[in-house]
């Protein structure tokens, strides 16, 4: 399959879906406190998407997944399953990843939460990982290469003595949740596919404090670091415009 190029009408629909996905993360923020379960956070997000946004939670039923959000805590890299028995505790770092479908179009985004007071090494991981996302976004423009994105992210991660998870990547997105191309979070400048105006894709680096290696738990979803050290992730959906990336899932706390 070729990479789809979206026209301005399609991008407008992506903008609507992206805004709704961003709003879910804004809406859930005050709920993220010590004592709440990830299962409860999931229910609040589901209800908001279905009843307030009149939209569809894309993860529900996706390849057999049953929840609205992925909730990935500490050493969980991604795809943590919300659970009524997993209670957030002070010092946890949590990623909430949500995808909303509106009018057939997808918006996919995630952010990190610091639960109460966190250790400085965790605060630093969360901050540097967000910088990795922004550095990846900054190099996006027509004529640049996908390898430039991975290079920018990997440079920043490794300069800070972190590693980049290689098994999971960003992806094209549109009226299909995961489509071509794959967006690697490591790589070499000038390599890979050339970026064109009208492409829409996610950038979603997963950055580890220790080694890059991961393992999937027996539930078939939860991905953890092999060495048990912590991992962080931030994700945006972007559209490639003439002058660079338009972030479709930007939250009001971002500049
Ligand atoms: N939202 C994830 C991504 O960034 C995918 C989650 S799939 C699920 O691509 F089934 F685990 F929800
Ligand atoms: Co994604
Ligand atoms: Co996502």
């Amino acid at each position: 399959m070729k990479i789809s190029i979206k026209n301005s009408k399609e991008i407008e629909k992506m903008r609507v879906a992206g805004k709704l996905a961003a709003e879910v993360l804004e809406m859930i923020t005050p709920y993220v406190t010590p004592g709440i379960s990830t299962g409860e956070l999931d229910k609040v997000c589901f209800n908001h998407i279905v009843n307030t946004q009149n939209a569809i939670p894309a993860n529900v039923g996706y390849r057999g997944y049953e929840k609205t959000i992925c909730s990935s805590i500490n050493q969980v890299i991604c795809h943590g399953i919300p659970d009524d028995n997993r209670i957030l505790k002070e010092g946890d770092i949590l990623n909430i990843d949500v995808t909303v479908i509106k009018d057939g179009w997808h918006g996919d985004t995630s952010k990190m939460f610091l639960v109460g007071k966190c250790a400085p090494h965790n605060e630093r991981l969360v901050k540097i990982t967000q910088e990795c996302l922004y550095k990846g976004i900054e190099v996006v423009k027509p004529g640049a290469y996908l390898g430039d994105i991975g290079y920018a992210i990997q440079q920043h991660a490794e300069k800070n003595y972190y590693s980049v998870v290689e098994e999971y990547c960003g992806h094209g997105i549109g009226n299909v949740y995961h489509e071509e191309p794959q967006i690697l979070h490591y790589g070499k400048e000038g390599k890979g596919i050339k970026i064109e105006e009208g492409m829409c894709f996610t950038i979603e680096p997963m950055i580890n404090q220790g080694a890059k290696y991961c393992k999937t738990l027996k539930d078939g979803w939860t991905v953890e670091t092999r060495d048990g050290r912590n991992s962080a992730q931030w994700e945006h959906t972007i559209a490639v415009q003439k002058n660079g990336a338009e972030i479709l899932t930007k939250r009001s706390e971002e500049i």
Side-chain angles (χ1 to χ4, degrees):
M1 260 297 281
K2 250 175 49 81
I3 297 170
S4 88
I5 298 296
K6 278 84 179 171
N7 63 34
S8 56
K9 281 192 174 147
E10 294 168 326
I11 291 180
E12 178 52 32
K13 293 188 173 189
M14 295 280 296
R15 211 172 267 132
V16 172
K19 178 104 193 104
L20 292 176
E23 277 172 11
V24 175
L25 295 182
E26 292 176 333
M27 178 279 304
I28 201 66
T29 297
Y31 291 86
V32 180
T33 50
I36 196 166
S37 71
T38 54
E40 183 63 27
L41 294 173
D42 186 74
K43 289 181 194 86
V44 174
C45 290
F46 177 89
N47 287 329
H48 185 77
I49 293 168
V50 171
N51 301 322
T52 303
Q53 298 185 332
N54 293 113
I56 298 168
N59 290 339
V60 177
Y62 179 78
R63 297 178 176 226
Y65 195 77
E66 293 179 352
K67 302 292 181 178
T68 294
I69 60 171
C70 296
S71 50
S72 303
I73 303 171
N74 298 339
Q75 79 285 357
V76 179
I77 296 171
C78 62
H79 304 165
I81 305 172
D83 179 346
D84 292 341
N85 297 312
R86 180 55 171 99
I87 310 287
L88 294 183
K89 56 181 191 307
E90 176 116 13
D92 282 338
I93 57 168
L94 165 71
N95 175 278
I96 295 181
D97 189 337
V98 68
T99 302
V100 170
I101 307 173
K102 186 71 173 182
D103 204 9
W105 296 83
H106 293 71
D108 183 6
T109 187
S110 82
K111 67 166 277 189
M112 294 299 298
F113 296 86
L114 298 164
V115 182
K117 186 83 195 115
C118 289
H121 74 93
N122 283 330
E123 289 183 356
R124 180 174 175 276
L125 173 68
V126 165
K127 175 172 168 280
I128 300 290
T129 303
Q130 187 176 29
E131 290 170 6
C132 284
L133 169 60
Y134 288 144
K135 283 178 186 288
I137 291 172
E138 269 168 33
V139 304
V140 171
K141 60 166 192 263
Y145 293 85
L146 291 183
D148 300 347
I149 300 173
Y151 179 80
I153 291 168
Q154 185 177 17
Q155 284 298 309
H156 193 59
E158 292 180 355
K159 193 175 80 191
N160 285 285
Y161 309 100
Y162 296 139
S163 64
V164 177
V165 174
E166 295 177 357
E167 272 89 343
Y168 298 87
C169 55
H171 48 92
I173 182 167
N175 52 4
V176 174
Y177 190 169
H178 293 99
E179 59 183 35
E180 286 185 63
Q182 292 194 9
I183 309 297
L184 304 183
H185 303 115
Y186 60 96
K188 292 197 167 52
E189 284 178 303
K191 298 284 180 193
I193 290 164
K194 197 185 268 197
I195 297 171
E196 289 176 40
E197 193 178 341
M199 286 181 177
C200 291
F201 53 81
T202 72
I203 305 178
E204 47 182 300
M206 284 143 274
I207 304 298
N208 292 353
Q209 277 175 337
K212 65 185 178 185
Y213 305 105
C214 56
K215 61 173 184 201
T216 304
L217 302 192
K218 289 201 193 72
D219 62 25
W221 282 103
T222 311
V223 180
E224 291 192 349
T225 58
R226 248 178 208 284
D227 60 14
R229 296 184 69 191
N230 286 349
S231 184
Q233 179 178 31
W234 294 78
E235 174 175 25
H236 273 311
T237 298
I238 64 108
V240 181
Q241 304 285 16
K242 262 196 184 55
N243 299 317
E246 175 185 355
I247 301 175
L248 302 176
T249 47
K250 200 187 260 183
R251 298 177 304 282
S252 47
E253 73 198 14
E254 296 175 290
I255 15 83

